[in-house]
Amino acid sequence: MSENPETRFQPDPGQPQRARTVQEYIDECPLWADGTRAPNTPMTHMQWRIWSLACAGKFFEGMVVFMTGVALPLISREFGLKPSSEGFVTAATLAGILIGATALGGLADVFGRKRMFIAEMIIFTVFLIALSLAPSFLWVVVFLLGIGIALGCDYPTAHMVISESIPTSARGRLVLSAFAFQAVGALTGTVIGYVILAENPVESAWRWMYASAVIPAILVIIGRFFVTDSGHWLVSRGRIKDAEEATHRLLRRRPQYPRSIRLANPNKDGPRPAGHYGVLFSKPYRKATILASVPWFLQDLGTYGIGIFTPTILATLIGKKSVTDTLNEVIHNDILAAKGSALMDILFVIGIIFAVLLVDRLGRIKLQIIGFVGCAVGLLLAALSMQSDGGNNMPVLFIGFMLFFFMTNLGPNAMTYLIAGEVFPTHIRGKGAGFAASFAKIGAVLTAFLFPILLKSIGDKALLFGLVGAFVLGAIITTIFAIETKGVSLDKIGHRPTDEELDEDDKADADLA
């Protein structure tokens, strides 16, 4: 039996016994058996458990949102939908995310990270079961909306349960590694859709696509009952004793270090209030709110639109698309679309892998700017490949989309999520990240509704040029409002500005916070 690496570590006898913050305990770096300091802080079993269960939420989001693109033709045929009604199906989950990120995500600042971490997955599973049994088009939309609400809550909550429980040095890599499961889920969803269609080519096959996630979701619910709550949040609420117990359980290892937990109370005047959403627009946090929300909105305009509707466009590269609407031909076209979507999802995964490797080296801001510019170049190539006579330069079109899908996950699709959960202090982190996600999903919902209309009214080329402009604007705003959080402790991010750091006009705004 191999030796557990944790057993070769020992506590640092030189560590002070003074009261410290939660993050200082989490960041404590041990010594090797020979007395030399370890190069990094090893993760405990509880930390890995929290990370893996947070990954599940992002996996289910990618799976459901992108599976809808495969399921839509079958749903449309079963219920006899018109193009305008199809827009409600594609937009329902995104609209739910918009609602849930603010309405439920902010509740993590009030009721705690763990409670909302469990509640969101219960809501998701209930609506997923209902969706697989939906009797009509209206109920399909309602149940997809409910699924989206649960996934919206997961945007800030999953980020916080990871970032508030792991070492500062690993925060970027591990949060993005969890976010990568959105791409893994998208790929899995399209593969499941393809397999189900290939093995069971019937109109109701879309129900089995969604039902395939029910049992995994139930297992995730059970697992989330057995994680610790955030010590950061407990301290912000003045629950120091509970925070010490939670931090000790989080850092349980062999040999045990730190030997004991004695937390400092930074809120000597009482627990920090959860606050209201107006706090996000007070001067101390206005810059963070703009950085977290506006670039995310701009990237969602393109990413969701291209992600949902490109598979059908790329189907022509995979095989001959039929123009009839018989059941066999609808399924044939859907399988081609699933293949095209799976091909692009692979590039999503590759992009996020590079983001994980580079985020703690180059930093969040630099990668976001590079990604925005790369997306603009990719869509520009795709637009230029489209000829006025209706023909397309298929190799250039394909390269353009490949570059876009790679660069969006290397940059803005990954970095906007990471930044939104890092630039706000603990007591308003859920509200800040939730608002940013909701604001971003306004762009996604607009895309789902308007893309089919704009494709017909202004054409593919003009639409792509418009998205090029959106991504260039994203790079500009990121540069202007940049806040780099690479290697910055959550304690420092949560620092409350002092009167000396604010001028007289800012003090009233700071009091709101």
Side-chain angles (χ1 to χ4, degrees):
M1 183 176 178
S2 61
E3 181 185 10
N4 184 341
E6 287 187 354
T7 64
R8 297 179 302 199
F9 293 127
Q10 62 186 18
D12 183 355
Q15 280 288 350
Q17 297 305 307
R18 62 174 174 82
R20 290 184 275 164
T21 66
V22 173
Q23 196 62 49
E24 284 177 321
Y25 279 112
I26 293 174
D27 288 343
E28 181 176 329
C29 199
L31 304 178
W32 291 102
D34 62 2
T36 59
R37 189 170 300 281
N40 49 52
T41 304
M43 295 272 287
T44 67
H45 294 300
M46 180 60 72
Q47 288 171 320
W48 282 120
R49 182 187 302 173
I50 291 171
W51 177 83
S52 61
L53 290 170
C55 290
K58 307 316 298 176
F59 175 88
F60 287 132
E61 181 201 347
M63 182 178 182
V64 170
V65 170
F66 286 88
M67 183 185 283
T68 299
V70 180
L72 180 59
L74 299 177
I75 295 173
S76 179
R77 180 177 174 81
E78 179 171 334
F79 297 117
L81 303 185
K82 297 179 180 179
S84 58
S85 298
E86 291 180 355
F88 283 98
V89 175
T90 56
T93 304
L94 302 178
I97 293 174
L98 187 159
I99 297 168
T102 299
L104 298 185
L107 294 180
D109 292 335
V110 180
F111 298 109
R113 314 322 193 198
K114 180 178 177 178
R115 287 182 182 177
M116 298 311 299
F117 198 43
I118 296 170
E120 67 181 32
M121 191 52 58
I122 293 175
I123 296 171
F124 172 82
T125 305
V126 169
F127 279 106
L128 189 66
I129 294 171
L131 176 62
S132 65
L133 302 172
S136 67
F137 158 68
L138 178 61
W139 284 113
V140 168
V141 173
V142 170
F143 296 146
L144 282 172
L145 182 72
I147 288 172
I149 290 173
L151 295 175
C153 180
D154 186 73
Y155 263 85
T157 305
H159 191 313
M160 290 184 294
V161 297
I162 297 175
S163 61
E164 294 179 2
S165 66
I166 61 173
T168 300
S169 60
R171 191 176 67 234
R173 296 191 300 276
L174 289 179
V175 171
L176 284 187
S177 296
F179 183 75
F181 278 80
Q182 182 190 66
V184 176
L187 177 60
T188 302
T190 52
V191 170
I192 289 174
Y194 172 79
V195 171
I196 289 176
L197 282 172
E199 296 297 322
N200 190 30
V202 296
E203 196 172 71
S204 62
W206 65 271
R207 299 178 183 273
W208 289 105
M209 295 179 193
Y210 291 113
S212 65
V214 171
I215 292 178
I218 292 174
L219 295 176
V220 171
I221 292 173
I222 296 171
R224 289 186 176 187
F225 275 97
F226 297 95
V227 300
T228 60
D229 210 337
S230 164
H232 288 275
W233 177 79
L234 291 168
V235 168
S236 75
R237 304 298 289 172
R239 296 166 56 182
I240 304 302
K241 184 66 176 176
D242 292 338
E244 289 174 343
E245 292 176 358
T247 304
H248 186 270
R249 186 181 170 205
L250 175 72
L251 300 178
R252 189 173 295 157
R253 45 163 69 93
R254 291 186 303 165
Q256 181 59 40
Y257 73 88
R259 292 190 178 94
S260 61
I261 304 291
R262 187 162 67 92
L263 293 176
N265 184 0
N267 308 311
K268 297 179 181 179
D269 298 329
R272 297 294 296 275
H276 52 78
Y277 282 97
V279 169
L280 301 176
F281 302 96
S282 62
K283 193 163 186 179
Y285 307 120
R286 195 176 301 146
K287 181 179 180 181
T289 301
I290 294 173
L291 174 67
S293 57
V294 177
W296 199 350
F297 168 86
L298 292 170
Q299 83 88 24
D300 269 14
L301 281 177
T303 298
Y304 278 90
I306 300 297
I308 292 173
F309 296 103
T310 294
T312 303
I313 298 173
L314 293 179
T316 57
L317 297 175
I318 309 298
K320 186 176 180 181
K321 185 176 179 180
S322 174
V323 296
T324 64
D325 60 355
T326 65
L327 177 60
N328 287 338
E329 297 304 333
V330 167
I331 292 174
H332 169 74
N333 292 341
D334 209 11
I335 289 176
L336 292 179
K339 289 180 178 180
S341 181
L343 187 60
M344 293 300 101
D345 290 338
I346 292 173
L347 293 170
F348 258 55
V349 175
I350 295 174
I352 197 67
I353 289 173
F354 275 84
V356 170
L357 295 175
L358 296 174
V359 66
D360 289 321
R361 296 183 182 181
L362 297 181
R364 285 73 159 143
I365 298 299
K366 187 175 291 186
L367 280 180
Q368 183 158 302
I369 294 171
I370 292 172
F372 268 127
V373 173
C375 288
V377 172
L379 293 183
L380 181 62
L381 286 175
L384 294 176
S385 72
M386 298 177 179
Q387 322 229 332
S388 57
D389 59 0
N392 295 325
N393 186 329
M394 282 300 179
V396 176
L397 176 67
F398 193 55
I399 290 171
F401 278 124
M402 287 179 65
L403 179 61
F404 170 83
F405 274 87
F406 173 77
M407 294 302 292
T408 190
N409 250 14
L410 172 67
N413 193 38
M415 296 304 135
T416 50
Y417 174 73
L418 178 59
I419 289 171
E422 290 186 334
V423 293
F424 299 100
T426 301
H427 70 292
I428 60 168
R429 188 168 293 134
K431 285 183 173 59
F435 171 82
S438 290
F439 189 79
K441 290 302 169 286
I442 293 174
V445 172
L446 288 175
T447 290
F449 273 118
L450 297 179
F451 246 64
I453 299 172
L454 292 175
L455 282 172
K456 292 181 180 179
S457 61
I458 66 175
D460 298 351
K461 191 167 186 175
L463 183 57
L464 289 176
F465 277 128
L467 292 177
V468 169
F471 282 106
V472 171
L473 182 59
I476 294 171
I477 292 176
T478 301
T479 303
I480 294 173
F481 295 94
I483 300 174
E484 181 55 69
T485 54
K486 180 185 74 172
V488 180
S489 167
L490 291 181
D491 293 332
K492 186 173 181 181
I493 293 172
H495 169 66
R496 177 187 175 90
T498 65
D499 287 347
E500 290 75 16
E501 294 171 320
L502 298 170
D503 57 38
E504 290 297 329
D505 292 336
D506 297 338
K507 290 180 182 178
D509 284 341
D511 287 339
L512 287 173

